[in-house]
Amino acid sequence: AHFELRPIIGWRGASWMTSFNPNLGWDLSPGHRGPPGFAPQWKVARRVGDGVMAGFEYYGDLGPVNRFLPRAEQSHTLYLAFDVDLPPWVFNVGIGRGLNGATDAWTVKMIFEF
C-alpha cells in the first residue's frame, strides 16, 4: 500500500503558466514503512494557439526526505510537453529525456481526460 500527498502550487496568466508539485509518498506496507519519498515536479508552458500550450516539465525522484539518494541514484527527467484543451479533446503529451544514468534515456507520456 502507498499514500501520496500531491499539492499543486501554480500561476496561470493569459499566455504563460507555471506550477510546482512537491510530492511526498509513504510506503504503508509492513516491512517497507519509513520516511516519505520526495518526488518534485515543475512545469512552465506558454500558449501557442487556441487551447494549446507548449512547455517543459521536470519529474524527479530524490529518495527519502531524511536522506536523499546520491545524485547518481536519483531520477531526473525533462520533458517537452503539449497541453491540448479543445473539447472533447483534453490531453497532455510529452517526450522526456533522462538527465542521468539512473533514469530511462527516453520516455513518452500521455495523460487523457474524459
Side-chain angles (χ1 to χ4, degrees):
H2 190 77
F3 173 78
E4 292 183 347
L5 178 62
R6 293 180 168 258
I8 299 172
I9 302 161
W11 172 85
R12 182 183 302 262
S15 297
W16 288 91
M17 70 86 60
T18 186
S19 65
F20 175 64
N21 304 53
N23 302 319
L24 297 171
W26 289 261
D27 285 321
L28 302 176
S29 300
H32 296 283
R33 294 181 183 147
F38 183 55
Q41 300 172 356
W42 63 259
K43 175 179 191 162
V44 61
R46 179 170 170 74
R47 184 167 313 282
V48 294
D50 188 33
V52 180
M53 296 191 86
F56 294 98
E57 298 179 6
Y58 164 82
Y59 286 68
D61 188 353
L62 307 184
V65 295
N66 67 331
R67 186 175 40 127
F68 288 159
L69 295 169
R71 180 154 174 82
E73 296 175 24
Q74 298 173 3
S75 174
H76 301 277
T77 306
L78 186 63
Y79 289 87
L80 173 61
F82 298 89
D83 293 295
V84 176
D85 189 355
L86 297 168
W89 304 103
V90 180
F91 63 91
N92 168 282
V93 62
I95 184 164
R97 178 75 172 132
L99 302 178
N100 65 350
T103 310
D104 290 336
W106 292 99
T107 306
V108 175
K109 72 177 194 86
M110 292 180 247
I111 302 170
F112 294 94
E113 295 183 29
F114 297 97

